[in-house]
């Protein structure tokens, strides 16, 4: 056996040494053969071992895609009769590195969003070419021994291989490209190409440019639906003049990272470079100079003319930041126009051009992905995708939005708790009955199969090969991070919908005044798609600026909105003259007020913020010493927190909040909610409208209410977290517990606007009109025409209780008590439970000897009875929690136990009162029995755990 293996090994070595002349080893010269070949072998061309190229390519036409006839990266040949496509790979293919970007180009709502990418090279094995993904995660800059060891241990990965069908004389090998892109589509697109009917494909796009080829294939899926899979294969040439810049956690850039096993210092092994463009001054001697090569964006001709100037404004906002580092007009804009023909020779799929593309798909999203050299972090090109759905505003979004708002800020520990306690889960409590059963069934199946889920945490559903599907899919599992999914448009959608509702109410009021030229009406006000241009235009520019920031390398900054107070934002000193947020990279809500105070401030950002200026300064400065720039990180306007920080304890590191006092903003939003609800029936629903409009309007206000409650719940148990380092001026401690008085005010807001039944503004009159459209194709027929009021309100209240009673929040409160000196005020666990209990059971204090209640006028309202049962169930779960919970489980369990006994005592003192109504009496008696059983079960559980 050993001799057989030895002979096989020698044969394999001989085969490798006999590879054709054009097969070069990766990053090295080919090994010298052991003996000189004879003159016949030396003169033998590589194509002699293959069928003649002319015969193989008979009936094919060569693809030339450039207007000047320049040769493409690959030479492509197409035979139209059977949709065959061959590609001639360059002769020096082994020296090249390619970037493959994948896109589902049609057949789904988000068609056009980049789906994933690969960094690869070709390597020849006899008469086959293998597509190989280099291992860039592990490298070594140490001694030669270290480099050799890393290269031996951390090898590259073969993705797939294809046969060489022929070789072009004096050229390169030819491969069957449709066999690669169609037959093996599943290896590229994963689940998005499951079950494709490979024998029914059609070539939709075949283009070859000097630096890339573009091929899209239309093919039916397993269910027969046609879907177009698009491949962009571009060449990445090393740029020796580009100098990578080391990333710093104080400034939010996407990074290219790897482990350098040639280093031995802990802080040197992990190498992170920021992702950025190569921008240089045309004249380095000038303080302000144009760049050698500006970043040029083409606004695609599909962008509606009425919106183009606002798209350009959003792009050009960033030039103000680049001027700070000495670059004038670093970003330039070109308008592609079909009527005039301007720039129509530029193809959005040509990687030499950066495009802003517009999709009319009814979906509300925007994304700014880029392609980055995974060895250095240099951004090579970028495209921005805008969709029209956020302008159209589909109200059905709010059925899905409510659970998302309620889940904002939940970490992995809380999500794991929700997995085991579905009654706590807002995703279940706020779902419709049909969706609820489906969610529970999927969860049960997942638990039965033992599939790790992290309770639905975004990290559990990551697929690093795809983009645009999950929250963090552009960040994790990649050498070079990119913007995978951005939900900034969702925030704008909500504000736009609210603005539409407000405008409709104002129009109705104006009509009632009986004057078409009444006070406040602007005859010359430009309207776009039924919305004032002065409103929608800046919102679009703001959104574009956000996505452009991603293409420049910047990550989200969810602390950006916290630099100014609400009154200052809405003042003449700020309006129109300075940005109201530290960063355009936040998810900024639309600035709308009921009582504007001094004035109604800007609805959206008018410029990039001071943090954005600072971040560009760090990333693109020509200074050799960057330390002075970084040491400014302690400044109030330069605070930074990104996606993963939203799971933490800092209440300012949140999406959708606003101003440096979110409590003031939340109160302002509730004033807006009350104003809109008061005019829902008589002003918002006009003559001839479906009454379903009233339900849509109410749900819109409900989402605003829940967003405000969720925002303030994050302050309970909160602690501010800062990223500065030791030695930064005015640094202080990196963790600062939120003052107790702010936590109490936040808790009071949650109680006032979620646990009090009157906060929902519901009356018998309103409930009579909250119905649905009666169309089978509207998607509403599964909804109950009579809005399920108790189920929906309890869902909101249950979500609010989850926000302030989940294990993570309780643990943070408990830990914060220890973080503060004993003589310093702190919100404690006993105070939290006392406050909640007093609010939930306040009706017990209204019982006296002279009061009589009836079923129509009960002591405890139906909403409150539901809430009280929910609260008891929460305390029960805390009492019966196992010791695996956290180190704080025992005091939490003991306090919950004590609180149940107190509540039982209060109930028992009034449950047999003669004047009680039957609803309240039966409810209180059952509650007392339930508490007794819980306390008994707690004793049994405690005994078992000893």
């Amino acid at each position: 056996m050993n001799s057989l293996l030895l002979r096989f090994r020698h044969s394999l070595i001989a085969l490798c040494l006999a590879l054709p002349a054009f097969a070069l080893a990766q990053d090295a010269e080919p090994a010298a053969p052991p003996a000189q070949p004879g003159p016949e072998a030396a003169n033998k061309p590589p194509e002699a071992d293959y069928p003649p190229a002319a015969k193989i390519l008979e009936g094919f036409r060569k693809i030339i895609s450039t207007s000047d006839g320049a040769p493409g990266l690959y030479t492509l040949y197409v035979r139209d009769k059977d949709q065959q496509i061959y590609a001639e790979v360059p002769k020096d293919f082994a020296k090249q590195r390619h970037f493959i970007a994948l896109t589902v180009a049609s057949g789904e709502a988000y068609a056009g969003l980049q789906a994933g990418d690969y960094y690869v090279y070709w390597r020849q094995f006899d008469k086959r070419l293998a597509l190989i993904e280099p291992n860039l995660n592990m490298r070594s800059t140490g001694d030669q021994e270290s480099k050799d060891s890393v290269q031996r241990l951390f090898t590259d990965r073969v993705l797939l291989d294809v046969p060489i069908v022929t070789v072009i004389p004096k050229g390169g090998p030819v491969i069957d490209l449709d066999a690669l892109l169609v037959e093996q589509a599943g290896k590229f697109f994963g689940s998005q190409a499951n079950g494709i009917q490979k024998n029914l494909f059609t070539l939709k796009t075949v283009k070859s440019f000097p630096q890339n080829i573009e091929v899209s294939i239309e093919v039916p899926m397993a269910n027969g639906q046609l879907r177009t899979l698009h491949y962009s294969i571009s060449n990445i040439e090393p740029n020796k003049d580009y100098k990578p810049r080391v990333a710093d956690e104080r400034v939010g850039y996407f990074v290219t990272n790897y482990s350098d096993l040639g280093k031995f210092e802990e802080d040197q092994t992990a190498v992170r470079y920021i992702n950025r463009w190569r921008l240089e001054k045309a004249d380095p001697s000038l303080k302000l100079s144009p760049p050698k090569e500006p970043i040029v964006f083409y606004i695609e001709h599909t962008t509606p003319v009425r919106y183009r100037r606002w798209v350009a404004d959003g792009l050009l906002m960033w030039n103000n930041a680049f001027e700070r580092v000495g670059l004038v007009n670093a970003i330039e804009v070109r308008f592609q126009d079909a009527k005039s023909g301007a720039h129509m020779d530029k193809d959005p799929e040509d990687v030499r051009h950066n495009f802003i593309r517009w999709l009319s798909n009814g979906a509300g999203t925007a994304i700014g992905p880029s392609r980055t050299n995974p060895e250095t972090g240099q951004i090579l090109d970028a495209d921005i995708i805008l969709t029209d759905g956020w302008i159209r505003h589909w109200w059905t979004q709010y059925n899905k939005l409510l659970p998302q708002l309620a889940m904002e800020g939940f970490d992995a520990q809380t999500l794991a708790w929700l997995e085991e306690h579905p009654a706590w889960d807002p995703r279940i409590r706020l779902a419709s009955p049909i969706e609820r059963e489906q969610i529970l069934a999927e969860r049960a199946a997942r638990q039965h199969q033992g599939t790790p889920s992290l309770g639905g945490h975004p990290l559990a559903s990551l697929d690093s090969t795809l983009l645009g599907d999950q929250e963090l899919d552009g960040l994790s599992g990649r050498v070079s991070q990119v913007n995978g999914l951005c939900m900034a448009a969702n925030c704008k959608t909500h504000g736009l919908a609210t603005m539409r509702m407000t405008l409709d109410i104002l129009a109705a009021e104006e009509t009632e005044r009986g004057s078409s030229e009444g006070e406040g009406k602007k005859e010359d006000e430009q309207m776009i798609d039924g919305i004032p241009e002065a409103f929608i235009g800046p919102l679009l520019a703001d959104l574009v600026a956000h996505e452009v920031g991603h293409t420049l390398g910047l990550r989200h900054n969810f602390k950006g909105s916290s630099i100014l107070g609400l009154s200052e934002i809405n003042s003449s000193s700020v309006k129109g003259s300075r940005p109201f947020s530290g960063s355009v990279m936040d998810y900024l809500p639309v600035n709308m007020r009921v009582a504007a105070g001094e004035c109604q401030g800007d609805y959206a950002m008018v410029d990039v913020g001071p943090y954005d200026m600072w971040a560009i300064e760090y990333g693109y400065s020509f200074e050799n010493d960057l330390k002075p720039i970084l040491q400014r990180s302690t400044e109030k306007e330069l605070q930074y927190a990104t996606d993963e920080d939203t799971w933490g304890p800092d209440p300012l590191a949140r999406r959708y909040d606003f101003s440096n006092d979110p409590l003031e903003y939340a109160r302002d939003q509730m004033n807006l909610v009350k104003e809109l609800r008061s005019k829902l029936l008589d002003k918002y629903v006009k003559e001839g409208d479906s009454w379903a409009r009233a339900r849509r309007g109410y749900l819109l206000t409900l989402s605003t209410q829940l967003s405000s409650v969720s925002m303030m719940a994050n302050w309970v148990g909160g602690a501010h977290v800062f990223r500065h380092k030791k030695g930064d001026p005015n640094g202080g401690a990196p963790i600062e517990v939120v003052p107790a008085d702010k936590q109490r005010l936040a808790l009071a807001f949650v109680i006032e606007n979620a646990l009090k039944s009157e906060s929902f503004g519901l009356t018998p009159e309103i409930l009579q009109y909250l119905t649905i459209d009666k169309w089978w194709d509207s998607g509403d027929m599964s909804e109950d025409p009579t809005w399920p009021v108790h189920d929906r309100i309890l869902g909101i209240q249950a979500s609010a209780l989850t926000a302030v009673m989940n294990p993570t929040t309780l643990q943070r409160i408990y830990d914060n008590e220890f973080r503060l000196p004993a003589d310093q005020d702190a919100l404690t666990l006993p105070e939290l439970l006392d406050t909640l209990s007093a609010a939930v059971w306040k009706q017990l204090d209204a019982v006296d000897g002279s009061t009589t209640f009836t079923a129509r006028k009960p002591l405890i309202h139906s909403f409150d009875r539901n809430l009280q049962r929910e609260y008891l169930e929460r305390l029960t779960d805390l009492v019966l929690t196992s010791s695996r919970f956290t180190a704080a489980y025992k005091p939490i369990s003991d306090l919950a136990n004590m609180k149940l006994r107190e509540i039982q005592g209060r109930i028992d003192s009034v449950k047999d009162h003669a004047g009680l109504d039957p609803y309240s009496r039966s409810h209180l008696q059952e509650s007392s029995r339930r508490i007794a059983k819980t306390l008994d079960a707690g004793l049994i559980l405690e005994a078992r755990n000893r």
Side-chain angles (χ1 to χ4, degrees):
M1 177 62 74
N2 290 337
S3 63
L4 179 62
L5 290 174
L6 186 60
R7 286 199 302 272
F8 175 75
R9 180 181 179 186
H10 289 166
S11 299
L12 183 60
I13 293 174
L15 177 62
C16 292
L17 294 175
L19 291 177
F22 52 75
L24 301 180
Q26 179 195 3
D27 295 331
E29 295 297 325
Q36 292 295 326
E40 293 183 1
N43 295 327
K44 181 182 178 182
E47 60 266 22
D49 291 333
Y50 299 89
K55 183 175 182 180
I56 293 296
L57 296 175
E58 185 177 353
F60 285 79
R61 60 184 175 88
K62 183 186 291 188
I63 300 298
I64 298 176
S65 303
T66 52
S67 58
D68 57 2
L73 174 64
Y74 291 179
T75 303
L76 302 181
Y77 302 88
V78 172
R79 189 166 62 197
D80 296 311
K81 67 177 183 179
D82 56 2
Q83 298 290 285
Q84 293 296 297
I85 175 172
Y86 284 170
E88 178 195 351
V89 180
K91 185 176 181 179
D92 60 347
F93 66 87
K95 292 181 179 180
Q96 294 184 342
R97 295 293 181 269
H98 293 317
F99 193 101
I100 302 179
L102 310 170
T103 306
V104 177
S106 72
E108 64 177 23
Y110 291 95
L113 298 185
Q114 188 173 316
D117 54 58
Y118 290 91
Y119 180 65
V120 296
Y121 65 91
W122 289 108
R123 180 176 175 184
Q124 185 172 355
F125 292 86
D126 193 19
K127 292 187 177 183
R128 301 187 71 84
L129 286 186
L131 195 63
I132 301 177
E133 186 176 40
N135 188 336
L136 300 178
N137 294 296
M138 299 295 179
R139 312 179 200 177
S140 174
T141 59
D143 52 34
Q144 190 59 46
E145 292 80 4
S146 172
K147 293 178 181 178
D148 292 342
S149 177
V150 169
Q151 187 175 7
R152 179 171 61 88
L153 296 176
F154 303 100
T155 54
D156 299 346
R157 181 171 70 103
V158 175
L159 297 176
L160 47 85
D161 65 281
V162 292
I164 299 172
V165 297
T166 188
V167 176
I168 301 295
K170 297 183 180 180
V174 176
I175 61 173
D176 187 338
L177 196 58
D178 57 86
L180 172 71
L181 303 183
V182 180
E183 295 295 328
Q184 308 205 55
K187 293 185 178 180
F188 288 108
F189 284 89
S191 61
Q192 290 183 316
N194 283 347
I196 64 172
Q197 301 179 42
K198 302 175 182 177
N199 59 325
L200 297 178
F201 77 90
T202 302
L203 294 176
K204 298 291 289 184
T205 302
V206 181
K207 301 177 183 179
S208 181
F209 303 102
Q211 296 179 21
N212 65 295
I213 66 170
E214 304 293 324
V215 179
S216 58
I217 299 162
E218 185 183 66
V219 59
M221 298 295 105
N223 63 357
Q225 182 182 12
L226 291 172
R227 180 172 290 180
T228 301
L229 307 179
H230 185 94
Y231 297 83
S232 174
I233 304 176
S234 57
N235 189 38
I236 295 184
E237 297 180 359
N239 189 331
K240 296 181 180 179
D241 295 329
Y242 178 80
K243 296 180 180 179
R245 180 155 296 180
V246 175
D248 191 282
E249 64 181 314
R250 290 167 284 188
V251 190
Y253 274 87
F254 296 114
V255 301
T256 291
N257 64 89
Y258 65 90
S259 294
D260 187 348
L261 299 184
K263 303 290 186 181
F264 292 91
E265 294 292 334
E266 181 181 358
D267 59 350
Q268 295 179 0
T269 302
V271 178
R272 301 179 183 91
Y273 298 138
I274 67 171
N275 294 349
R276 61 174 184 149
W277 296 79
R278 182 191 177 204
L279 287 174
E280 297 177 322
K281 288 184 176 182
D283 185 348
S285 67
L286 295 176
K287 183 177 181 181
L288 287 174
S289 167
K292 284 184 179 179
E293 295 184 17
I295 303 171
V296 180
F297 274 96
Y298 292 87
I299 298 177
E300 192 179 19
H301 68 92
T302 56
T303 306
V305 174
R306 59 191 180 276
Y307 292 123
R308 289 181 189 176
R309 79 175 183 94
W310 295 104
V311 173
D313 285 352
L315 277 162
L316 297 175
M317 278 187 193
W318 289 96
N319 278 339
N320 294 331
F322 282 107
E323 285 188 15
R324 296 284 186 92
V325 299
L327 290 170
V328 180
N329 297 326
I331 298 177
E332 296 183 2
V333 177
R334 308 279 189 271
F335 292 94
Q336 189 184 59
D337 186 70
K339 291 184 179 179
S340 66
H343 300 293
M344 291 302 293
D345 60 327
K346 310 294 192 307
D347 196 307
E349 295 166 349
D350 188 338
V351 297
R352 293 176 298 174
H353 308 305
N354 310 301
F355 264 81
I356 291 190
R357 313 189 69 178
W358 187 281
L359 303 181
S360 297
N361 62 358
T365 189
I367 188 172
S370 57
R371 305 187 212 195
T372 303
N373 187 329
E375 305 219 33
T376 63
Q378 180 185 357
I379 297 177
L380 306 172
D381 75 294
D383 290 303
I384 294 172
I385 304 294
L386 302 174
T387 67
D388 65 349
W390 70 279
I391 297 174
R392 292 175 182 272
H393 161 56
W394 301 113
W395 81 271
T396 50
Q397 171 186 356
Y398 297 103
N399 290 332
K400 300 177 181 179
L401 184 62
L402 288 178
Q404 295 175 12
L405 294 173
M407 298 290 292
E408 183 64 30
F410 285 4
D411 69 346
Q413 179 184 354
T414 302
L415 293 174
W417 171 266
L418 300 183
E419 190 83 353
E420 296 181 4
H421 300 83
W424 291 58
D425 196 332
R427 294 166 296 188
I428 294 175
R429 302 305 298 269
L430 294 171
S432 67
I434 295 177
E435 293 173 327
R436 188 177 301 153
E437 293 303 319
Q438 180 181 349
I439 294 172
L440 289 171
E442 291 173 353
R443 179 171 296 190
R446 188 167 63 237
Q447 292 176 338
H448 178 72
Q449 296 170 359
T451 305
S453 66
L454 296 179
H457 194 279
L459 287 174
S461 53
L462 279 183
D463 182 348
S464 62
T465 65
L466 300 177
L467 292 175
D469 290 324
Q470 301 295 333
E471 182 179 347
L472 305 176
D473 57 11
L475 300 174
S476 180
R478 307 173 67 89
V479 173
S480 291
Q481 297 175 337
V482 294
N483 177 33
L485 176 66
C486 181
M487 296 180 289
N490 283 355
C491 195
K492 299 291 187 282
T493 299
H494 181 270
L496 185 57
T498 304
M499 182 59 163
R500 284 183 182 273
M501 186 175 182
T502 303
L503 288 174
D504 287 346
I505 290 174
L506 291 175
E509 291 178 335
E510 200 167 88
T511 300
E512 282 188 1
R513 286 196 294 267
S515 172
S516 61
E517 298 180 359
E519 183 181 353
K521 183 175 179 60
K522 300 178 181 179
E523 291 291 344
D524 59 346
E525 184 174 44
Q526 178 67 51
M527 303 293 286
I528 298 181
D529 296 330
I531 313 165
E533 184 177 16
F535 180 82
I536 188 64
L539 257 63
L540 178 57
D542 184 340
L543 181 61
V544 171
H546 179 102
E547 301 306 331
V548 173
H550 285 316
T551 68
L552 298 175
L554 296 181
R555 294 192 62 187
H556 291 129
N557 180 9
F558 294 124
K559 275 195 175 181
S561 61
S562 62
I563 67 170
L564 297 177
L566 206 57
S567 58
E568 191 174 2
I569 290 171
N570 292 280
S571 66
S572 57
S573 62
V574 171
K575 181 177 182 178
S577 61
R578 56 182 287 208
F580 54 57
S581 170
S583 176
V584 75
M585 302 310 297
D586 203 339
Y587 285 176
L588 296 169
V590 178
N591 177 36
M592 283 184 58
R593 306 194 71 186
V594 177
E598 180 182 334
C599 69
Q600 166 62 56
D602 294 313
Y603 297 116
M605 291 281 278
V606 297
D607 198 354
V608 297
Y611 165 83
D612 304 319
M613 299 277 193
W614 176 63
I616 291 297
E617 183 182 6
Y618 176 73
Y620 292 88
S621 172
F622 300 106
E623 298 293 333
N624 292 323
D625 185 8
L626 301 176
K627 290 182 179 179
I629 298 175
L630 290 170
Q631 287 183 336
R632 294 182 56 207
S633 66
T634 57
E635 295 179 18
K636 176 184 176 182
E637 294 183 333
L638 307 184
Q639 297 306 297
Y640 164 61
T642 193
D643 294 84
E644 55 268 26
D645 294 303
T646 62
W647 312 328
D650 195 330
L652 290 176
R654 292 292 179 267
R655 305 173 181 90
Y656 316 122
D657 65 348
F658 197 50
S659 85
N660 60 15
D661 186 358
L663 177 60
E664 181 186 13
Y665 173 67
R667 288 170 175 164
D668 193 75
Q669 289 293 286
M670 286 307 301
N671 289 336
L672 177 61
V673 164
K674 294 172 183 177
E675 177 75 10
L676 294 177
R677 285 175 181 168
S678 69
K679 300 174 181 179
L680 187 65
L681 300 182
D682 59 337
K683 300 294 191 301
Y684 184 55
V685 183
K686 300 184 290 292
E687 291 292 329
D689 283 345
S690 166
W691 282 111
R693 184 175 172 87
R695 182 150 158 178
R696 292 196 290 268
Y698 182 79
L699 287 177
L700 180 58
T701 67
L702 197 61
S703 66
T704 302
Q705 181 174 355
L706 181 57
S707 178
S708 300
V709 169
S710 176
M711 181 197 316
M712 296 319 302
N714 285 314
W715 284 75
V716 179
H720 298 300
V721 180
F722 304 97
R723 286 174 172 257
H724 56 254
K725 298 184 178 182
K726 185 175 181 179
D728 289 348
N730 304 313
I735 297 175
E736 180 183 300
V737 176
V738 172
D741 58 342
K742 287 191 174 182
Q743 294 188 57
R744 293 187 183 105
L745 289 173
L747 179 59
F749 181 90
V750 173
I751 292 171
E752 181 70 25
N753 295 284
L755 303 189
K756 288 188 176 181
S757 57
E758 55 268 27
S759 68
F760 298 98
L762 289 170
T763 63
E765 179 188 11
I766 288 180
L767 288 171
Q768 293 179 63
Y769 293 95
L770 301 188
T771 187
I772 62 173
D773 285 318
K774 309 302 188 296
W775 294 107
W776 181 261
D777 59 356
S778 68
D780 291 341
M781 296 309 294
S782 62
E783 290 282 335
D784 192 333
T786 59
W787 191 59
V789 55
H790 285 93
D791 186 64
R792 293 297 185 264
I793 297 304
L794 182 58
I796 299 286
Q797 294 181 322
S799 299
L801 288 178
T802 295
V804 295
M805 294 181 69
N806 69 78
T808 301
T809 297
L810 298 180
Q811 179 183 337
R812 286 173 179 167
I813 293 172
Y814 190 60
D815 288 344
N816 283 346
E817 294 179 38
F818 187 68
R819 288 191 179 96
L820 297 171
D823 59 351
Q824 188 171 332
D825 188 19
L827 178 69
T828 65
L829 284 177
E831 181 182 350
L832 173 75
L833 294 180
D834 286 346
T835 304
L836 289 173
S837 297
V840 172
W841 294 93
K842 61 182 182 297
Q843 295 85 354
L844 298 182
D845 298 327
V847 178
D848 56 41
S850 60
T851 308
T852 300
F853 303 93
T854 68
R856 294 295 294 139
K857 295 183 178 181
L859 166 67
I860 306 176
H861 189 277
S862 56
F863 286 173
D864 295 321
R865 294 197 298 270
N866 289 339
L867 174 62
Q868 289 169 1
R869 279 191 293 269
E870 191 74 30
Y871 183 63
L872 290 182
E873 289 174 2
R874 301 306 171 91
L875 292 177
T876 296
D877 287 339
L878 294 177
V879 168
L880 301 180
T881 298
S882 71
S883 59
R884 291 174 297 173
F885 176 19
T886 66
Y889 95 94
K890 186 57 176 172
I892 292 174
S893 177
D894 289 346
L895 287 169
N897 188 305
M898 180 182 71
K899 188 53 59 182
L900 282 175
R901 294 181 185 278
E902 292 178 1
I903 294 172
Q904 184 182 35
R906 295 181 63 194
I907 291 174
D908 289 346
S909 67
V910 299
K911 65 182 176 65
D912 296 322
H913 188 273
L916 281 184
D917 60 278
Y919 281 124
S920 300
R921 184 185 304 279
S922 61
H923 164 68
L924 292 175
Q925 290 177 352
E926 175 58 26
S927 297
S928 181
R929 286 194 295 270
R930 177 174 296 186
I931 292 174
K933 292 180 179 179
T934 297
L935 297 176
D936 290 341
L939 292 174
I940 296 173
L941 180 63
E942 184 177 357
R944 288 179 177 176
N945 290 334
R946 289 176 181 171

